[in-house]
Amino acid sequence: QVQLVESGGGLVQAGGSLRLSCAASGRTFSSQTMGWFRQPPGKEREFVAAINRNYINTYYADSVKGRFTISRDNAKNTVYLQMSSLKPEDTAVYYCAALLDLATQKVDYWGQGTQVTVSS
């Protein structure tokens, strides 16, 4: 069993930055690919970024490439999402996820979500 708790969301102006954190409990964190998803208002949940267990490989949605950076600290059981040059269209509830399979985006565990609102 893994529990994921996100923090760091909030209201920011367009062009600003935020860093989301996801603290994980459970012994399997270091062995799992971790990711971030988001659900904009009135839309379906979508993939944002992922990082594999050895820190080497990262993956991003085209819409956030060059603006968002995913990282993790296995010693702290924490994964981060640094978001820069934020746009109003980045407004969404952001969810941390422990992934079973990145190719299919099958998720093992979800966090409860944190709201990010970008004002224009």
Side-chain angles (χ1 to χ4, degrees), residues 33-120:
T33 294
M34 298 298 296
W36 289 93
F37 291 72
R38 67 185 181 186
Q39 187 165 17
K43 297 183 179 181
E44 293 187 353
R45 196 175 301 189
E46 61 186 21
F47 171 78
V48 175
I51 184 168
N52 69 348
R53 61 183 180 177
N54 63 11
Y55 299 72
I56 293 176
N57 295 320
T58 56
Y59 311 88
Y60 296 94
D62 288 343
S63 59
V64 306
K65 279 181 182 176
R67 301 188 299 121
F68 290 11
T69 302
I70 189 170
S71 61
R72 67 190 293 165
D73 185 337
N74 285 348
K76 295 182 178 179
N77 276 14
T78 302
V79 61
Y80 305 96
L81 185 69
Q82 178 67 49
M83 305 184 294
S84 301
S85 301
L86 283 161
K87 305 175 182 179
E89 51 264 44
D90 294 317
T91 294
V93 178
Y94 283 72
Y95 297 90
C96 177
L99 289 155
L100 283 174
D101 183 80
L102 179 59
T104 61
Q105 297 180 5
K106 186 175 181 181
V107 173
D108 201 4
Y109 299 100
W110 290 102
Q112 85 287 352
T114 186
Q115 177 71 47
V116 171
T117 303
V118 184
S119 63
S120 57

